[in-house]
Amino acid sequence: MSGGALSGMVAAWVLPDHHLSRKSATAVKLAASLVVLLTSLVLALMLSAANSSFSVNAGIVKKLGSDLIHLDHVLRVYGPEANGARADLRAYATWKNEELFSASPVPTTTNRATADLLDKLLDSILSLAPADRRQTALVAQAQTITANIYAGRWLLWENPGTTVPIQFLFVLIGWLFLIFLSFGLFAPVNATVVTSFFLTSLAVMGAILMILELGDPMHQSLVRISSEPMRIALAEIGRP
């Protein structure tokens, strides 16, 4: 984008004076203001979509942590017969935490090993033999919570984050190039102006980068969902 400003300065140097008249400047500024408006709207939409994606995924992770704690509590209340299921729950929670918040840059929201652990947990719950109505109700509640955990897993798979097509980014950068070109066309050529354009372009590119990172929170990115809900769940699961 700073290249656009420099291109404008070069164009101003080679163009005849009548191309840089006050009327020409007014016309160029009007055209640039329209592009600025379009760019602002697009950036606002990108930010809204990215923030929505981040909030949805953060909510799913919080719900997952809550369900894990709730399920462990239900199994603990059931009695020592559910200790095997609690061990399976602990194993699943450990793997799921590593899956969601590992240092790997590759998303692993559908890790097969973790899915198998969840299936094993469900089998352990289904294999419980309730001795009375109280334990029957607890098993039914545990099955409902486990179903919620399954649903959360698939929600993370279906909503990994927002993706912006590369063609869209090229168009957006092209608009920004035109805006800076119009700035440079009528700007004085000195170190202060050039530095200002350079720093402004860095700020704009940084904003676009942060929007893209915000919309992709389940990958290894600068803006990631907090792992606190899963850490709290791991600390609670298995407690006597």
Side-chain angles (χ1 to χ4, degrees):
M1 284 175 287
S2 57
L6 294 177
S7 298
M9 291 178 176
V10 172
W13 183 63
V14 299
L15 286 173
D17 290 341
H18 66 275
H19 285 273
L20 304 175
S21 64
R22 185 179 298 274
K23 291 183 178 180
S24 297
T26 301
V28 171
K29 289 178 181 178
L30 286 174
S33 64
L34 177 59
V35 180
V36 168
L37 177 61
L38 290 174
T39 304
S40 300
L41 290 174
V42 169
L43 287 174
L45 289 174
M46 287 176 60
L47 178 59
S48 177
N51 183 64
S52 176
S53 175
F54 184 89
S55 299
V56 168
N57 282 291
I60 294 173
V61 172
K62 288 180 180 178
K63 181 65 165 55
L64 175 60
S66 174
D67 285 339
L68 292 173
I69 295 174
H70 190 190
L71 180 56
D72 182 67
H73 174 73
V74 170
L75 295 175
R76 182 169 67 248
V77 172
Y78 184 93
E81 300 90 342
N83 285 343
R86 294 186 70 192
D88 292 337
L89 175 61
R90 174 75 185 184
Y92 170 75
T94 302
W95 276 73
K96 190 64 179 179
N97 181 65
E98 177 64 23
E99 178 184 280
L100 293 176
F101 303 105
S102 68
S104 172
V106 181
T108 56
T109 51
T110 57
N111 188 289
R112 186 66 256 173
T114 310
D116 290 341
L117 286 173
L118 184 56
D119 292 338
K120 183 181 178 183
L121 169 62
L122 179 60
D123 289 339
S124 297
I125 294 173
L126 294 175
S127 65
L128 293 174
D132 51 33
R133 294 175 60 185
R134 172 178 170 276
Q135 288 188 337
T136 300
L138 289 172
V139 169
Q141 189 174 3
Q143 292 175 0
T144 300
I145 299 171
T146 305
N148 292 337
I149 294 174
Y150 270 102
R153 174 179 179 270
W154 286 112
L155 282 174
L156 286 174
W157 165 244
E158 293 292 340
N159 187 48
T162 57
T163 55
V164 179
I166 189 66
Q167 298 90 340
F168 183 85
L169 284 178
F170 280 139
V171 171
L172 181 61
I173 292 174
W175 289 352
L176 291 169
F177 181 88
L178 291 177
I179 293 171
F180 276 81
L181 178 66
S182 68
F183 291 164
L185 196 58
F186 300 99
V189 181
N190 57 60
T192 300
V193 172
V194 172
T195 302
S196 175
F197 285 151
F198 177 73
L199 294 177
T200 302
S201 65
L202 285 181
V204 174
M205 291 304 295
I208 294 175
L209 175 63
M210 292 306 295
I211 290 174
L212 295 176
E213 294 289 300
L214 181 66
D216 196 21
M218 301 311 300
H219 295 63
Q220 186 71 10
S221 61
L222 297 176
V223 183
R224 299 198 69 184
I225 290 174
S226 172
S227 61
E228 188 67 18
M230 292 299 296
R231 290 201 300 267
I232 293 175
L234 285 172
E236 288 292 324
I237 293 174
R239 184 172 57 85

